[in-house]
Amino acid sequence: MTTTTQKPHPTAAPPQGPLSPLHTWLLRAAARGETIDAIARRTGLSHRSITRHFSRIYRTLGARNRAHAVALAYRHGHLDPADHEPNTPPPRPDRTSRATRTRGLPTRTTR
């Protein structure tokens, strides 16, 4: 008779870095059950942009999906169970152009 050993479920890795205020706000909205479309309407960002922000959140927290990201955010202290104000406006994302953000940085020269 062959015995198999069960592998324990992997535990989530600790966060790889701090979350931005926008990412924390997005996690709060997800914790309230808002859809990506509803979040996009509230923030004025596109559906694609919100999806990309959630991808960054998943990568930072080591999450598989939005529900897992919310659970990990509570576990690691990014969200407080008592902190769910639905009428809080989202933080403004950085809307400066790439040229403005990179002004003053050394440029690449071609040969």
Side-chain angles (χ1 to χ4, degrees):
M1 182 157 88
T2 307
T3 60
T4 59
T5 58
Q6 283 187 342
K7 294 180 182 177
H9 290 289
T11 58
Q16 296 177 0
L19 292 173
S20 71
L22 177 61
H23 290 171
T24 304
W25 188 89
L26 289 171
L27 282 168
R28 280 192 200 111
R32 287 191 302 270
E34 292 187 37
T35 63
I36 289 180
D37 288 330
I39 294 169
R41 280 192 301 273
R42 277 185 77 182
T43 60
L45 299 173
S46 68
H47 183 279
R48 184 177 181 183
S49 179
I50 298 297
T51 303
R52 285 183 178 173
H53 280 292
F54 271 108
S55 293
R56 288 184 197 119
I57 292 169
Y58 302 157
R59 200 170 30 253
T60 300
L61 295 176
R64 294 182 299 269
N65 53 39
R66 279 193 301 159
H68 190 215
V70 169
L72 291 175
Y74 280 121
R75 183 178 302 158
H76 295 297
H78 294 292
L79 293 181
D80 182 15
D83 187 24
H84 286 291
E85 316 89 29
N87 296 325
T88 306
R92 301 292 299 170
D94 182 18
R95 293 198 183 267
T96 57
S97 68
R98 182 168 188 240
T100 303
R101 289 192 309 266
T102 58
R103 189 172 291 140
L105 295 178
T107 57
R108 207 179 326 160
T109 58
T110 58
R111 295 180 200 202

